[in-house]
């Protein structure tokens, strides 16, 4: 604090502190506290608010645990978000390695641009495009039938496969960039040294490159998992009746039942899930928060 | 992957082909709701830039001159919104302001988006601050500059690239945002919400027309960026080699 005062004087220091306090208190901490508090209240008509029935209760959370379908959807969301995270890693790692260590310096910016363009196209249009590609009469089936690979159009949009495809496509770049950054900071001499000492390519990756890319992988996994589990657009556009996502249930509470209290309880569960995932990854990869957020 | 962006625009009526028509574009341009949503999106995005850039910059300067435990805690708090699902941010913002009897609407969407977009700005500016030579600040102060002058003439000019990048990211993140906006928007539309509701209520090629326009704009921006980058690279190369002919 004293350093701040010395460098910027009193009025600027106060300005900085006020800005940060506004952000962290009004925009971040207080809303979370209210979310937490509201999740323990009952959903009541306006005239009964503050009345004798307005008490704290765990009924909202209980409704999650006694409704098997909600529990199931929650587990399925965790499962498939993890699957998406793993697939993203499997796709992103070779790509990131290629961009960081194999591709020539002249080529990299152009390749980056080609990879970036889909990221700039907004998420909703990307999901929409997959909706069209995967639809029963869409280009994919048309091409596959035309090439004689399949005889009949496949109904892609059923179950979770289309949701997974959509999520992977939408979020794979959030895995690629951190992994790329991590691999790029590895000294190429280390890779060559491993090769000179007779290490096969897979062991070079396993013992040299992967350990170095660890913070990048952790950061990418956290982002992809959080975005996938919290995604609304992709599951509701590419999902079918048999594939429900946890966010869709939250949405149902908020908009269809207008029960904001139960909705906030469910939202809080989602928040817990993501926080839990972050801490597990941090423990597992032995990285700190400042490694993850870069 | 870039190809997929082109692919979609040709559908849903590529096959069977029934002939050219500009009907969908005309439909789109006469759709008042779309224009309204477009206007709202731009307004929210501008408001987000105006709020989150000063916040993010202040936060970066603040955290840069802190050490130890306080820094870790503050840093964790600042980064947390990035790692929070947008739906949770949206709902918590809605509940908090609702308790203060502020009705939902685009102002809440703006605040909700700022809560995590400020963090992006903060990270960008903080990275740039690492390369700042503090000696310059001290020298200016020793030579009798006021604190305001030091900030305006020395620190901010050094940070401008990062602040500019932060503003651009804030703008596009805001346009992109769906999850937070969905819960806080009240009765108002933004472009993403508009497209979403149109897609859900049965697809018409108007959406394809809109998608085509949006993708074209994106591609044009990408190409413009690439051309600009190449030109600058050539300019830099020319400077380094001392060749005045190089542009």
């Amino acid at each position: 604090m004293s350093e701040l005062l010395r460098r910027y004087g009193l009025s600027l220091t106060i300005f900085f502190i006020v800005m940060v306090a506004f952000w962290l208190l009004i925009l971040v901490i207080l809303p979370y506290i209210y979310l937490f508090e509201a999740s323990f209240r009952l959903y009541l008509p306006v005239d009964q608010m503050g009345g004798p029935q307005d008490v704290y209760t765990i009924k909202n959370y209980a409704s999650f645990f006694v409704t098997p379908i909600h529990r199931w959807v929650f587990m399925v969301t965790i499962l498939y978000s993890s699957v998406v995270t793993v697939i993203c890693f499997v796709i992103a790692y070779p790509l990131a390695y290629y961009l960081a260590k194999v591709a020539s310096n002249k080529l990299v910016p152009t390749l980056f641009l080609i990879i970036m363009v889909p990221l700039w196209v907004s998420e909703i249009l990307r999901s929409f495009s997959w909706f069209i590609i995967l639809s029963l009469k869409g280009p994919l089936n048309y091409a596959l039938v035309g090439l004689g690979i399949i005889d009949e159009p496949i109904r892609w949009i059923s179950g979770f496969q289309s949701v997974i495809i959509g999520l992977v496509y939408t979020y794979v770049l959030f895995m690629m960039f951190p992994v790329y950054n991590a691999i790029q900071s590895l000294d190429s001499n280390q890779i060559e040294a491993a090769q000179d000492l007779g290490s096969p390519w897979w062991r070079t990756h396993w013992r040299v490159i992967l350990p170095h890319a660890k913070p990048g992988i952790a950061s990418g996994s956290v982002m992809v998992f959080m975005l996938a589990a919290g995604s609304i657009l992709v599951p509701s556009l590419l999902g079918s009746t048999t594939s429900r996502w946890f966010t869709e249930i939250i949405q149902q509470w908020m908009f269809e039942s207008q029960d904001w209290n139960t909705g906030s309880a469910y939202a809080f569960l989602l928040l817990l899930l993501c926080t839990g995932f972050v801490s597990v990854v941090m423990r597992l990869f032995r990285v700190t928060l400042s490694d993850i957020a870069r | 992957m870039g190809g997929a962006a082109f692919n979609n625009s040709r559908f849903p009526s590529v096959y069977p082909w029934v002939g050219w028509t500009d009907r969908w574009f005309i439909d789109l341009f006469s759709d008042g709701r779309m224009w309204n949503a477009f206007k709202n999106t731009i307004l929210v995005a501008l408001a987000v830039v105006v709020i989150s850039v000063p916040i993010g910059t202040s936060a970066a300067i603040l955290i840069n001159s802190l050490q130890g435990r306080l820094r870790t805690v503050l840093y964790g708090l600042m980064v947390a919104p990035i790692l929070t699902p947008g739906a949770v941010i949206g709902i918590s913002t809605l509940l908090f302001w609702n308790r203060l009897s502020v009705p939902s609407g685009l102002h809440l969407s703006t605040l909700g988006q700022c809560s995590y977009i400020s963090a992006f700005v903060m990270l960008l500016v903080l990275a740039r601050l690492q390369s700042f030579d503090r000696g310059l600040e001290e020298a200016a102060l020793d030579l009798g500059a006021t604190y305001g002058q030091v900030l305006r003439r020395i620190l901010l000019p050094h940070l401008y690239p990062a602040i500019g990048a932060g503003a651009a990211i804030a703008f596009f993140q805001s346009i992109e945002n769906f999850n937070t906006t969905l819960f806080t928007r009240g009765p108002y539309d933004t472009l993403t919400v508009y497209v979403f509701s149109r897609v859900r209520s049965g697809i018409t090629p108007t959406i394809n027309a809109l998608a085509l326009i949006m993708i074209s704009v994106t591609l044009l921006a990408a190409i413009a960026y690439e051309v600009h980058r190449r030109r600058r690279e050539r300019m830099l190369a020319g400077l380094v080699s001392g060749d005045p002919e190089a542009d």
Side-chain angles (χ1 to χ4, degrees):
Chain A
M1 229 22 95
S2 61
E3 195 196 324
L4 207 60
L5 267 176
R6 197 169 47 77
R7 282 173 70 177
Y8 303 107
L10 185 62
S11 46
L12 277 175
T13 303
I14 291 176
F15 173 77
F16 293 149
I17 291 177
V18 166
M19 291 305 263
V20 173
F22 171 77
W23 175 26
L24 292 183
L25 283 178
I26 311 283
L27 298 183
V28 181
I29 298 176
L30 284 177
Y32 287 1
I33 291 176
Y34 272 80
L35 176 80
F36 186 64
E37 196 251 12
S39 69
F40 285 103
R41 281 170 177 271
L42 282 174
Y43 171 56
L44 293 169
V46 179
D47 57 332
Q48 286 182 26
M49 276 185 188
Q53 284 182 38
D54 201 353
V55 289
Y56 288 109
T57 162
I58 55 160
K59 210 175 130 266
N60 298 329
Y61 290 94
S63 85
F64 170 76
F65 288 103
V66 298
T67 320
I69 182 92
H70 290 174
R71 263 189 342 234
W72 187 76
V73 170
F74 190 67
M75 299 317 285
V76 157
T77 303
I78 298 177
L79 174 70
Y80 285 113
S81 298
S82 316
V83 169
V84 166
T85 311
V86 171
I87 297 177
C88 278
F89 172 70
V90 169
I91 297 175
Y93 180 75
L95 201 62
Y97 176 72
Y98 177 78
L99 280 173
K101 291 292 169 209
V102 184
S104 72
N105 278 339
K106 262 202 136 80
L107 209 58
V108 169
T110 316
L111 283 177
F112 248 97
L113 195 75
I114 294 172
I115 295 170
M116 283 285 278
V117 167
L119 184 73
W120 291 0
V121 175
S122 81
E123 189 182 332
I124 185 157
L125 292 182
R126 279 177 281 164
S127 327
F128 177 52
S129 63
W130 275 104
F131 179 77
I132 288 165
I133 292 172
L134 296 176
S135 63
L136 196 61
K137 286 184 184 167
L140 183 63
N141 276 330
Y142 187 66
L144 287 178
V145 173
L147 290 171
I149 296 171
I150 53 173
D151 297 330
E152 264 181 20
I154 298 176
R155 189 173 288 280
W156 294 100
I157 302 184
S158 70
F160 283 97
Q161 53 195 15
S162 49
V163 179
I164 292 178
I165 294 174
L167 286 173
V168 167
Y169 178 76
T170 314
Y171 299 129
V172 67
L173 290 181
F174 289 90
M175 180 70 91
M176 205 207 77
F177 285 120
V179 176
Y180 168 80
N181 279 333
I183 296 182
Q184 209 200 16
S185 69
L186 175 69
D187 190 351
S188 295
N189 287 329
Q190 290 195 23
I191 303 174
E192 279 162 28
Q195 281 162 352
D196 289 348
L197 293 170
S199 147
W201 66 269
W202 54 268
R203 191 178 287 156
T204 312
H205 277 272
W206 183 248
R207 300 294 289 272
V208 179
I209 303 169
L210 267 178
H212 188 82
K214 228 168 51 174
I217 298 169
S219 141
S221 310
V222 167
M223 279 314 277
V224 170
F225 183 87
M226 184 277 287
L227 288 168
S231 175
I232 300 174
L233 280 172
V234 177
S236 44
L237 286 182
L238 294 174
S240 58
T241 44
T242 51
S243 57
R244 307 266 319 273
W245 212 246
F246 195 62
T247 45
E248 293 180 272
I249 294 181
I250 298 179
Q251 227 183 321
Q252 232 172 32
W253 282 116
M254 297 297 288
F255 295 131
E256 281 161 38
S257 323
Q258 289 282 322
D259 181 350
W260 289 5
N261 297 96
T262 313
S264 55
Y266 279 51
F268 193 74
L269 285 174
L270 183 65
L271 182 62
L272 270 187
L273 170 67
C274 291
T275 320
F277 188 82
V278 172
S279 38
V280 165
V281 167
M282 274 166 63
R283 187 71 51 83
L284 219 62
F285 287 81
R286 295 206 190 84
V287 290
T288 59
L289 203 59
S290 53
D291 291 327
I292 286 182
R294 258 194 309 194
Chain B
M1 280 204 291
F6 294 105
N7 240 340
N8 5 350
S9 52
R10 286 193 263 119
F11 203 67
S13 28
V14 195
Y15 169 81
W17 183 253
V18 270
W20 282 99
T21 174
D22 54 2
R23 203 179 117 208
W24 308 121
F25 284 90
I26 292 168
D27 273 6
L28 180 71
F29 282 105
S30 54
D31 185 352
R33 207 181 140 205
M34 192 281 289
W35 284 112
N36 191 31
F38 180 73
K39 192 191 76 198
N40 286 342
T41 304
I42 298 294
L43 281 179
V44 169
L46 288 177
V48 166
V49 171
V50 168
I51 298 173
S52 64
V53 167
I55 289 184
T57 311
S58 311
I61 295 174
L62 183 76
I63 211 128
N64 193 45
S65 50
L66 290 177
Q67 266 103 37
R69 208 177 172 79
L70 185 64
R71 182 194 164 108
T72 319
V73 172
L74 271 183
Y75 189 85
L77 277 174
M78 287 172 180
V79 172
I82 298 186
L83 304 173
T84 309
V88 178
I89 296 179
I91 294 173
S92 59
T93 308
L94 174 69
L95 284 167
F96 172 62
W97 292 98
N98 192 55
R99 190 62 71 81
L100 304 177
S101 316
V102 178
S104 55
L106 292 175
H107 47 285
L108 289 195
S109 305
T110 308
L111 290 176
Q113 290 176 14
C114 282
S115 80
Y116 78 94
I117 290 175
S118 301
F120 288 129
V121 180
M122 188 275 285
L123 290 173
L124 280 169
V125 176
L126 190 61
R128 178 83 186 166
L129 268 174
Q130 308 297 328
S131 65
F132 178 64
D133 180 8
R134 286 193 45 196
L136 292 174
E137 247 177 35
E138 313 257 336
L141 284 178
D142 287 348
L143 292 172
T146 62
Y147 291 117
Q149 278 173 328
V150 171
L151 183 76
R152 221 172 35 244
R153 307 289 285 272
I154 295 175
L155 185 57
L156 283 184
H158 178 77
L159 295 181
Y160 277 148
I163 293 176
I169 283 188
F171 190 77
F172 287 109
Q173 280 285 327
S174 167
I175 290 182
E176 271 263 310
N177 185 278
F178 176 78
N179 296 5
T180 305
T181 313
L182 179 70
F183 289 101
T184 48
R185 71 194 171 99
Y188 305 99
D189 273 342
T190 63
L191 217 47
T192 42
V193 174
Y194 167 79
V195 173
F196 180 69
S197 61
R198 286 302 292 268
V199 170
R200 276 211 127 177
S201 63
I203 302 161
T204 68
T206 7
I207 290 300
N208 288 74
L210 182 62
L212 183 62
I213 292 173
M214 285 167 86
I215 290 170
S216 314
V217 169
T218 313
L219 281 178
L220 281 179
I223 291 168
Y225 173 80
E226 175 72 5
V227 168
H228 175 75
R229 193 189 60 79
R230 289 211 169 150
R231 184 179 299 160
R232 226 179 58 179
E233 210 162 66
R234 238 178 298 139
M235 226 159 80
L236 282 177
L239 281 179
V240 169
S241 64
D243 178 7
E245 290 297 306
D247 183 13

